[in-house]
């Protein structure tokens, strides 16, 4: 009886603790990490006939300081080899073993790739392309998001996974599907699209007005005539194209939410994430982010292709975008320990670069560094993709050593956990704006360079040592001192009012050419652009000139302009011709029939300043303008000047600031760092020198 009571008590206490943990997770939906998550995708299902290898992997993972692996991303056919015959034993076994060895698990739902039997049994799950041909079974990520059959099969397996692992202390996070992407034009999707439109416009006349369908006699008589855009049908109706893209996002969101509900119905309380891709244009990620607890993303830059710092900035921009979506720490879910195999050239990372690239994610607010993948697969598409453990299988490799060193650095940086990236500057980079602008027809159908233009402002702000948020038009501007709005072609979500109030209240706004042109359904604004902000900028845009590839114009500063611009710069691609009312002209065009007309202006409005940049200038112009604006506005910067190739990012906690100074040059650089009131907690800083690819982390009391 005593033994029974003891067991019962133990059982009761364990269950109580689990219940408390579940309630905590439910309330916080937070990872509550006490160490940076370090590891990557692991595919033991490929090695079930090699227990010796699985055993060896555990030892190697521990040696490399790996504390987390992502399991199950593409495991459906091993989990459910035949319809309704489930085999989770191998997964339970591996998760238990990992847990016993101190390694936690991010568990994926398997919807990213379906088994053959599923497509054979339910042909409706196969995607239909825009030219209305149905695809064959194959590859991955190619199922229809509307198909009730696919949704049902996903619901069944997700719920079963949740029931099995909801209480496993080793499973810390759910990874929903993998890199949602693409679209389907099947009859089920057409019907769903029509319903989506009915819901949005209520009656067909409103839709006709919003899409301007009188043009080319494309007026709809009823919703049932509507078809998704197609190369063999309507593809020039911009309102249709735009709403289709919005629908695709909403349908993906709906599918993802069903996946999450299935987990919750199965009793899972762990937080959820889904992994995003680099600068992916097919979805408006902000809308997915609203329904998950953590944003995570997969970073595969083409290192060694151009100036390393340019690649570093481009990657940093994505990190900042991921962080800004939820304004909280994000996760680096995948990155490559050496070289990916799907890029044109598989370039090895130079020694030291792995550590810099990984710590860059941490500097920008990630709580993790995860790789694809832990063990290199033996056959098929990714057999030559870089991995922590390669085909050779030992720990005495260059990559394994660098992975281990990076793991050790993350342990050294433990105190940084919990700190945040606060930004005084933001750039508005909006996906719906991008969709509309790139579909616009004119003023340049051979490249508008939206991303490049965002990157130019971003680089300039980063060179001035400012942290930067990358936001969309729905977000608030209240916490920023400086906002850059490059090519804000479409105004939506009341952005014009937000921008006006921002400047009125003392903010500094920099807007560029081709802004405030159309409304949310892509109809051009009447009565002058940038729409409703003519007084804020003290000007009106009259015309815009598209330049040929080989054409250039230039900027000539006005003597004694208030920003003290003295240098001349080149511009390309687009030149906006404006007429000023109250704005000060800082510089004028140097050539063409518009020589002498304004090309950069400044207008005092309320307590703030609104700058307007009329053309696509070279990087140096943005660097100079932003440096001067930052200097005048006395924004906090952690260092006085930054050498070429170095990136500086600050994370802050309530007590400390952690300044990450990263040298993305292969060679060492000289940099003066004031160490009087700070302590170096990582990296070597001797004789004012930072070694090639090294990262210095400074700790300053706030
Ligand atoms: C990612 C994908 C992974 C793997 C990786 C290879 O896009 O999520 O499953 O294929 O690419 O770089």
């Amino acid at each position: 009886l005593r033994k029974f009571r003891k067991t019962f008590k133990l059982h009761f206490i364990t269950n109580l603790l689990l219940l408390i943990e579940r309630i905590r997770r439910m309330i916080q939906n937070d990872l509550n990490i006490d160490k940076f998550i370090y590891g990557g995708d692991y595919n033991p299902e490929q090695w079930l006939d090699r227990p010796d290898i699985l055993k060896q992997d555990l030892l190697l993972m521990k040696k490399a300081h790996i504390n987390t692996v992502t399991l199950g991303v593409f495991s459906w056919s091993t989990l459910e080899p035949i319809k309704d015959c489930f085999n989770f034993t191998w997964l339970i076994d591996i998760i238990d073993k990992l847990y016993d060895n101190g390694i936690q698990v991010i568990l994926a739902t398997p919807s990213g790739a379906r088994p053959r039997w599923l497509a054979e049994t339910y042909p409706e799950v196969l995607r239909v392309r825009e030219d209305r041909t149905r695809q064959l079974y194959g590859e991955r990520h190619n199922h229809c998001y509307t198909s009730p059959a696919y949704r049902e099969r996903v619901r069944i397996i997700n719920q079963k996974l949740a029931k099995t692992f909801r209480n496993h202390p080793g499973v810390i996070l759910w990874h929903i599907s993998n890199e949602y992407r693409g679209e389907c034009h099947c009859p089920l999707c057409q019907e769903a699209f029509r319903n989506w439109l009915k819901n949005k416009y209520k009656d067909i006349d409103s839709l006709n007005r919003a899409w301007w369908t009188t043009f080319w006699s494309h007026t709809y008589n009823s919703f049932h005539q509507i078809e998704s855009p197609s190369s063999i049908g309507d593809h020039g109706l911009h309102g249709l194209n735009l709403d289709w893209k919005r629908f695709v996002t909403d349908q993906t969101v709906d599918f993802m939410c069903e996946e999450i509900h299935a987990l919750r119905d199965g009793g899972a309380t762990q937080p959820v994430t889904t992994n995003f891709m680099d600068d992916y244009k097919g979805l408006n990620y902000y809308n997915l982010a609203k329904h998950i607890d953590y944003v995570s993303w997969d970073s595969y830059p083409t290192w060694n292709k151009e100036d390393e710092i340019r690649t570093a900035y481009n990657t940093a921009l994505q990190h900042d975008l991921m962080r800004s979506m939820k304004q909280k720490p994000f996760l680096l879910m995948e990155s490559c320990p050496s070289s990916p195999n799907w890029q044109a050239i598989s370039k090895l990372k130079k020694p030291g670069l792995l550590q810099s690239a990984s710590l860059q994610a941490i500097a920008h607010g990630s709580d993790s560094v995860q790789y694809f993948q832990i063990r290199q697969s033996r056959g098929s598409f990714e057999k030559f993709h870089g991995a922590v453990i390669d085909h050779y299988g030992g720990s005495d490799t260059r990559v394994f050593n660098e992975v281990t060193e990076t793991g050790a650095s993350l342990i050294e940086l433990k105190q940084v956990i919990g700190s945040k990236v606060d930004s005084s500057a933001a750039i508005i980079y909006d996906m719906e704006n991008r969709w509309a602008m790139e579909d616009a027809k004119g003023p340049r159908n051979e490249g508008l360079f939206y991303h490049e233009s965002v990157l130019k402002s971003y680089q300039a702000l980063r060179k001035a040592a400012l942290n930067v948020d990358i936001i969309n038009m729905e977000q608030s501007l209240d916490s920023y001192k400086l906002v850059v709005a490059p090519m804000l072609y479409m105004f939506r979500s009341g952005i014009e009012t937000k921008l006006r109030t921002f400047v009125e209240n003392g903010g500094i706004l920099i807007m560029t050419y081709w802004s405030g042109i159309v409304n949310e359904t892509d109809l051009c604004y009447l009565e002058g652009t940038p729409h409703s902000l003519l007084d804020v900028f003290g000007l009106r845009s009259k015309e815009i000139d598209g330049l040929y590839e080989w054409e250039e114009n230039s900027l000539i500063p006005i003597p004694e302009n208030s920003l003290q611009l003295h240098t001349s710069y080149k511009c390309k691609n687009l030149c906006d011709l404006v007429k000023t009312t109250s704005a000060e002209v800082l510089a004028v065009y140097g050539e063409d029939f518009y020589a002498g007309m304004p090309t950069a202006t400044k207008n005092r409005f309320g307590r703030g300043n609104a700058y307007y940049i009329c053309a696509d200038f070279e990087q140096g112009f943005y660097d100079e303008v932003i440096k001067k604006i930052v200097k005048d506005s006395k924004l906090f910067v952690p260092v006085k000047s930054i050498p070429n190739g170095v990136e500086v990012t600050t994370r802050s906690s309530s007590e400390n600031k952690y300044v990450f100074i990263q040298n993305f040059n292969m060679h060492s650089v000289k940099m003066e760092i004031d160490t009087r009131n700070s302590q170096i907690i990582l990296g070597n800083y001797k004789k004012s020198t930072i070694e090639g690819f090294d990262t210095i982390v400074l700790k300053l009391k706030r």
Side-chain angles (χ1 to χ4, degrees), residues 393-573:
S395 62
D396 51 338
T397 64
R398 184 178 75 93
V399 171
F400 191 91
N401 284 337
E402 291 202 27
V403 167
T404 310
E405 278 163 22
T406 305
S409 298
L410 290 178
I411 296 170
E412 275 184 65
L413 288 177
K414 194 167 181 250
Q415 58 178 298
V416 176
I417 293 169
S419 61
K420 301 224 172 70
V421 178
D422 295 327
S423 307
S424 52
I427 300 180
I428 305 178
Y429 186 32
D430 188 282
M431 190 52 78
E432 294 200 10
N433 175 50
R434 186 176 192 171
W435 288 338
M437 182 163 37
E438 292 180 355
D439 195 32
K441 292 282 155 250
R444 272 196 115 250
N445 298 329
E446 291 180 357
L448 290 163
F449 304 103
Y450 180 42
H451 178 83
E452 289 76 2
S453 136
V454 169
L455 188 59
K456 281 182 191 170
S457 318
Y458 181 75
Q459 292 185 150
L461 291 164
R462 301 289 297 133
K463 286 179 191 171
L466 290 181
N467 284 348
V468 182
D469 281 356
I470 306 291
I471 59 173
N472 77 355
M473 283 189 241
E474 288 164 33
Q475 282 168 288
S476 159
L477 306 179
D478 293 349
S479 61
Y480 304 112
K481 303 218 160 52
L482 172 57
V483 169
V484 187
M487 304 180 82
L488 217 59
Y489 166 76
M490 171 190 279
F491 276 2
R492 64 185 197 92
S493 276
I495 190 68
E496 57 274 43
T497 315
K498 281 191 243 179
L499 291 173
R500 167 180 295 275
T501 313
F502 173 74
V503 184
E504 253 173 353
N505 292 341
I508 306 161
L509 172 64
I510 305 174
M511 193 182 239
T512 78
Y513 53 94
W514 208 225
S515 286
I517 311 290
V518 299
N519 71 8
E520 302 200 12
T521 62
D522 213 358
L523 294 183
C524 293
Y525 285 118
L526 308 177
E527 294 161 10
T529 63
H531 168 68
S532 129
L533 296 179
L534 306 190
D535 55 337
V536 175
F537 288 100
L539 55 74
R540 179 172 77 78
S541 164
K542 298 192 302 177
E543 292 176 273
I544 188 156
D545 193 17
L547 273 57
Y548 289 108
E549 248 0 88
W550 42 266
E551 272 188 304
E552 274 181 358
N553 205 313
S554 63
L555 165 147
I556 318 251
I558 293 281
E560 286 165 36
N561 65 80
S562 66
L563 203 56
Q564 295 180 22
L565 298 177
H566 303 299
T567 317
S568 176
Y569 293 98
K570 297 274 174 230
C571 60
K572 287 170 76 76
N573 303 317

Side-chain angles (χ1 to χ4, degrees), residues 74 140 178-179 181 275 298 300 334 340 342 372 382 385:
F74 298 116
R140 54 178 176 170
N178 189 66
E179 296 185 339
R181 71 175 87 157
N275 50 342
D298 304 340
Y300 294 100
E334 290 180 26
W342 47 265
F372 184 90
E382 282 168 351
H385 194 286

